[in-house]
Amino acid sequence: MQSRKQKISSAKRGEPLELSPEQERLLKEGSYGERKALELLIALGDVYDASKLIPVTSVHISGASYKTIGDPGLRFLSEICEGCRAKVKSTVNPIGMDRERFHEMRVSEEFVVKQKEIIGYYESLGVLDSWTCTPYLIGNRPGLGEHVAWAESSAVIFANSVLGARTNREGGPSALASSITGLTPDYGLHKEENRKADVLFELEFDLEEKEFAPLGSFAGEICGARMPYFKKLSATEDNLKTLSASLASSGSVSMFHIEGLTPEWELGLKEECESVSVDRKDLEEIADSWNTEDDPDLVAFGCPHCSTAELGKLADMLKDGWKGPELWVCTSRAVCENIPETVQLINKHGKLLCDTCVIVSSVEDFSSTIATNSGKASTYLPTLCKQKTMFADAETLVRRFQ
Ligand code: F3S
């Protein structure tokens, strides 16, 4: 009978992935979930010609909303989580409802029951109480050069580009497998030689805050899976969060550099690189394409989940009142804990929802048009939530409805 190595060698080019004695032991003697998790990572490593599995210091898992994973995802979780514990710090993406305010979100009883089952499986693993796509705002914030295994495209690109951590764009199952084993295959963005940019973007003007989302979408469409390098761009961390989410949703970009700003920008560009000059009109066209309606039945902020500073700005603007449609502001429970006055102010005019977001909740059950300041939400709402969209920056949207 052929060994695993022989089978792989005859099936493909390249050397099969080497396991350490400890990893071999886990593959033979681990619990059902541990063995399945390791098999999944080995298969992934073999596909990408990884030579070994490497330890990770943190994991972020996607695939937690019942809306997105359904009954097949629930079954997968029930099997793989049994008898397993997270080996490293692990956070989880938003679920389909606020754990406390789900009645106000018009969620069905069946949905609530299934969603609670999913939460139970993740809690049995010992993940952090997170349910957010911005884990780096609540303590899962890896440093420069740390190997991690993150899912959630907007968080992956932020981790690689802004924090200088090293992760491939994991899927929910592979991130979960990394949480259970503490390992990931060593390929792609874990290797420094793969962290050079492919496309140089030069801006002919100073970027305004409202243009970060369209810029991400513009560059993401051009890059696809390639890596952009931006010249002449100053940005706050919140601007980079917006840019990250847009880049990763219009393309499948997993990392970018900004000259003089992001931690590994000096790795620079590959020798053979494309060059694109960005005109303000390019960004206006993107914003216009998202802005097809002007009578929304819901206004949604918090994609990705709001930071403390973003919530503070929204609360300040809302002091002048709100006469618009239903207002949702999404963030994590951990961010809310330290800002009770801000939370109260936003709740006076709308719903400050934790644990969830507009895309992974069942918003299509009661809404047809959503206004948002998010490029990622504008990209996904029409397809994943059957919505028409209105797009503008937060200030324009709030002032429009006062
Ligand atoms: Fe986060 Fe949901 Fe947007 S997971 S990035 S708020 S689609």
Side-chain angles (χ1 to χ4, degrees):
M1 200 167 137
Q2 279 186 315
S3 70
R4 189 183 75 82
K5 278 187 189 178
Q6 287 165 331
K7 281 185 203 161
I8 293 164
S9 293
S10 55
K12 63 190 266 295
R13 288 178 299 117
E15 286 298 305
L17 187 145
E18 285 286 343
L19 295 183
S20 71
E22 174 56 20
Q23 290 162 3
E24 292 279 9
R25 189 200 61 74
L26 195 66
L27 197 56
K28 287 197 194 103
E29 298 166 19
S31 69
Y32 175 81
E34 286 170 331
R35 284 183 279 124
K36 286 286 147 206
L38 198 49
E39 281 169 13
L40 191 157
L41 295 175
I42 292 167
L44 188 65
D46 285 336
V47 166
Y48 287 102
D49 267 346
S51 61
K52 60 182 190 292
L53 297 172
I54 52 172
V56 291
T57 54
S58 108
V59 167
H60 181 69
I61 305 165
S62 67
S65 165
Y66 180 60
K67 173 180 167 179
T68 56
I69 68 169
D71 290 323
L74 197 46
R75 265 196 308 280
F76 172 74
L77 281 175
S78 75
E79 285 169 15
I80 200 162
C81 290
E82 200 183 329
C84 291
R85 293 290 287 172
K87 285 221 168 50
V88 292
K89 180 190 283 185
S90 301
T91 43
V92 186
N93 234 20
I95 52 176
M97 62 190 204
D98 183 307
R99 284 174 295 161
E100 291 173 7
R101 302 180 73 174
F102 51 87
H103 291 302
E104 296 171 62
M105 297 178 69
R106 309 167 184 83
V107 182
S108 73
E109 276 312 309
E110 192 207 347
F111 190 101
V112 174
V113 170
K114 302 271 192 177
Q115 186 61 74
K116 285 186 174 173
E117 245 186 281
I118 293 172
I119 295 170
Y121 287 124
Y122 281 120
E123 283 179 344
S124 73
L125 273 184
V127 300
L128 295 182
D129 188 16
S130 41
W131 321 111
T132 181
C133 50
T134 54
Y136 46 86
L137 297 179
I138 64 161
N140 190 359
R141 194 178 171 93
L144 184 64
E146 263 184 65
H147 292 279
V148 303
W150 281 23
E152 170 49 44
S153 61
S154 68
V156 166
I157 185 170
F158 188 95
N160 277 316
S161 318
V162 183
L163 305 180
R166 296 185 174 197
T167 178
N168 288 314
R169 183 162 155 152
E170 300 296 341
S174 63
L176 180 58
S178 288
S179 173
I180 290 168
T181 59
L183 300 165
T184 196
D186 186 22
Y187 73 96
L189 290 172
H190 290 286
K191 295 178 169 295
E192 183 156 311
E193 64 266 28
N194 296 327
R195 295 171 75 87
K196 281 178 182 282
D198 307 276
V199 187
L200 169 68
F201 288 88
E202 292 196 74
L203 277 69
E204 308 292 331
F205 54 95
D206 288 331
L207 200 69
E208 290 178 20
E209 183 144 341
K210 65 179 183 188
E211 292 170 316
F212 278 90
L215 174 64
S217 185
F218 176 77
E221 268 176 32
I222 290 172
C223 285
R226 297 178 299 164
M227 192 185 300
Y229 178 108
F230 297 98
K231 261 193 154 175
K232 193 171 180 275
L233 207 61
S234 55
T236 64
E237 184 168 308
D238 284 333
N239 298 150
L240 297 179
K241 174 161 76 75
T242 299
L243 181 69
S244 294
S246 253
L247 274 166
S249 53
S250 70
S252 47
V253 177
S254 300
M255 182 172 180
F256 61 87
H257 296 296
I258 298 179
E259 194 165 276
L261 185 65
T262 52
E264 292 173 276
W265 72 272
E266 282 170 305
L267 291 175
L269 285 140
K270 290 178 184 160
E271 259 174 45
E272 301 254 316
C273 70
E274 189 183 333
S275 180
V276 176
S277 92
V278 185
D279 194 77
R280 181 153 264 150
K281 235 170 92 264
D282 298 322
L283 309 188
E284 282 166 3
E285 273 171 26
I286 302 254
D288 286 348
S289 73
W290 290 333
N291 196 5
T292 54
E293 295 290 322
D294 64 357
D295 189 20
D297 42 40
L298 182 70
V299 178
F301 297 116
C303 173
H305 273 180
C306 285
S307 67
T308 304
E310 288 172 321
L311 292 173
K313 277 189 207 163
L314 278 173
D316 257 1
M317 290 191 276
L318 287 169
K319 281 181 186 158
D320 296 333
W322 177 260
K323 296 197 189 96
E326 186 168 337
L327 169 65
W328 282 15
V329 181
C330 295
T331 189
S332 62
R333 205 162 289 282
V335 160
C336 282
E337 264 164 19
N338 301 322
I339 46 169
E341 280 173 26
T342 304
V343 169
Q344 206 182 11
L345 245 161
I346 294 174
N347 276 330
K348 197 172 147 200
H349 300 285
K351 294 185 177 84
L352 182 43
L353 298 173
C354 299
D355 316 317
T356 188
C357 83
V358 67
I359 300 287
V360 301
S361 66
S362 306
V363 76
E364 59 276 14
D365 289 351
F366 60 89
S367 173
S368 64
T369 305
I370 296 181
T372 179
N373 65 336
S374 163
K376 175 168 178 175
S378 297
T379 302
Y380 286 149
L381 278 170
T383 49
L384 299 182
C385 305
K386 304 183 184 76
Q387 299 295 300
K388 290 179 275 214
T389 54
M390 174 179 174
F391 172 82
D393 62 284
E395 177 154 14
T396 304
L397 280 179
V398 173
R399 299 301 177 210
R400 158 88 161 71
F401 294 110
Q402 284 182 327

